[in-house]
Amino acid sequence: MPTKKERDEYLRGLNPIDDLMFRKMAEHKEFCEEILRVILDDYKLVVTDNMQQFDIKNLQGRSVVLDAKCITGDGRYINIEVQKANDDNHLKRVRYNASVLTANVTETGKKFEFVPDICIIFISAFDLFKGNLPLYHVKKVVVETEQIIDDGLTEIYVNAAVDDGSKLAKLMKVFTNNDVYNEADFPVTSEIKARFKKDEGGTVKMDATLQKWMQESEEIGEKRGEKRGREEGIMLGKEEGIVLGKEEGAKTIAKTMIEEGLPTELIMRYTGLSEEAVAALHG
């Protein structure tokens, strides 16, 4: 289990590109509004409602936790995701999030004409499309006619790895760099970031969230580990089953922490797994 000092050091090294800090900052509607105005290049955009760490499920019961869900004044639903590690198929992640969010916000019995418009904004610390651009818009196109199809889904990918001097690139510097603030262009983002990084109260709030995630991960891991330990213990013997259950529990905890964007070092300290074992779980 990481000590409070270790947790504090980790928390003070976070930035808005990290899941934990972003989700805490996204509790503030004015923060969501400020960054959406820049990303969407719409300085009249109004966020009427927002929710961070929004948990929704598909029909099979698989859960997905959205980093932030916003509703704009013109009725659009916007999911904002941040991602540091390029360790998954993020295009399919966006597709999945869009489909689950669409099903979640669509009223039963409504005609498809009234399915709400959905916008997925994926902010990454890496260049997903390797085009050396800070912003990518993905649209559906009819191959034979090159006609662009508008089905109410918008996909926007923000690349924080490229600095072209634009306002968006300046915003991404605040998102990714420890000591970068820009009160002139992004007063809300800079103020809230500073509050969480520098004020004792801000780190306390993030620490509470971090410990909550860990506790939830531990409970899930224990339940799954105990179940498999009991099942396998019938064949292996009681002691071997208990050991297996603990190992499975640790792996389940690690998987949940990976999904939450927590660093490998913290996962290793919390679960007791080796770096190789944690790396193997990323696949």
Side-chain angles (χ1 to χ4, degrees):
M1 174 75 73
T3 64
K4 184 179 185 305
K5 181 180 179 181
E6 289 173 327
R7 294 198 309 269
D8 285 346
E9 289 177 356
Y10 164 66
L11 293 169
R12 292 193 185 281
L14 295 181
N15 287 291
I17 193 66
D18 296 285
D19 276 345
L20 180 54
M21 177 175 278
F22 179 81
R23 291 182 185 182
K24 294 304 293 181
M25 292 179 70
E27 292 177 357
H28 301 270
K29 184 165 62 176
E30 61 272 26
F31 163 70
C32 295
E33 190 171 88
E34 183 172 83
I35 66 172
L36 286 176
R37 286 181 172 184
V38 176
I39 295 169
L40 297 174
D41 194 25
D42 179 2
Y43 291 88
K44 293 184 179 180
L45 179 144
V46 174
V47 172
T48 58
D49 192 18
N50 68 299
M51 183 180 296
Q52 55 82 35
Q53 203 170 350
F54 184 66
D55 190 356
I56 54 180
K57 296 182 179 181
N58 66 9
L59 294 175
Q60 287 72 40
R62 174 172 176 172
S63 178
V64 59
V65 180
L66 306 183
D67 288 345
K69 183 190 79 170
C70 302
I71 304 176
T72 61
D74 56 3
R76 284 178 294 169
Y77 287 82
I78 300 179
N79 166 218
I80 313 171
E81 294 290 316
V82 293
Q83 183 68 33
K84 285 184 70 175
N86 190 9
D87 58 358
D88 203 347
N89 188 320
H90 299 297
L91 294 177
K92 288 190 175 181
R93 179 198 298 269
V94 167
R95 171 187 157 195
Y96 179 81
N97 285 3
S99 63
V100 177
L101 180 58
T102 300
N104 181 265
V105 301
T106 301
E107 295 181 21
T108 303
K110 287 283 187 180
K111 292 184 176 181
F112 288 113
E113 177 186 355
F114 301 105
V115 171
D117 288 348
I118 300 290
C119 176
I120 307 293
I121 295 176
F122 188 83
I123 303 173
S124 64
F126 49 88
D127 191 348
L128 182 62
F129 297 105
K130 304 188 185 309
N132 202 37
L133 296 172
L135 190 67
Y136 301 96
H137 294 80
V138 174
K139 297 183 178 181
K140 288 184 178 179
V141 177
V142 178
V143 175
E144 290 76 10
T145 65
E146 298 185 356
Q147 178 185 3
I148 295 176
I149 301 300
D150 181 8
D151 60 1
L153 173 62
T154 302
E155 294 182 32
I156 297 175
Y157 296 81
V158 180
N159 170 26
V162 168
D163 181 5
D164 64 348
S166 64
K167 191 167 185 177
L168 176 59
K170 292 178 181 178
L171 175 62
M172 289 301 102
K173 282 184 176 293
V174 180
F175 259 63
T176 57
N177 295 347
N178 253 338
D179 300 317
V180 173
Y181 301 88
N182 188 332
E183 292 82 1
D185 291 323
F186 319 112
V188 176
T189 302
S190 297
E191 189 275 325
I192 297 177
K193 174 184 173 181
R195 193 190 311 167
F196 280 115
K197 286 182 71 70
K198 298 178 180 180
D199 294 352
E200 184 65 27
T203 55
V204 167
K205 287 181 180 179
M206 285 202 295
D207 188 41
T209 301
L210 176 61
Q211 292 194 68
K212 177 174 176 286
W213 285 1
M214 288 181 169
Q215 180 63 34
E216 290 173 349
S217 298
E218 184 176 20
E219 290 172 357
I220 293 170
E222 286 177 351
K223 288 178 182 177
R224 293 179 181 173
E226 287 171 4
K227 180 180 178 182
R228 183 171 179 190
R230 286 195 299 269
E231 293 171 349
E232 299 290 338
I234 295 172
M235 295 182 291
L236 299 173
K238 184 177 179 181
E239 290 186 6
E240 290 88 345
I242 291 172
V243 171
L244 178 62
K246 288 181 178 179
E247 291 176 354
E248 286 299 311
K251 289 180 180 179
T252 303
I253 293 169
K255 285 181 180 179
T256 304
M257 295 175 77
I258 289 169
E259 290 174 357
E260 297 291 357
L262 299 177
T264 298
E265 294 77 11
L266 198 67
I267 297 172
M268 290 168 56
R269 285 200 294 268
Y270 189 76
T271 62
L273 295 174
S274 66
E275 184 174 1
E276 293 75 16
V278 175
L281 296 173
H282 278 80

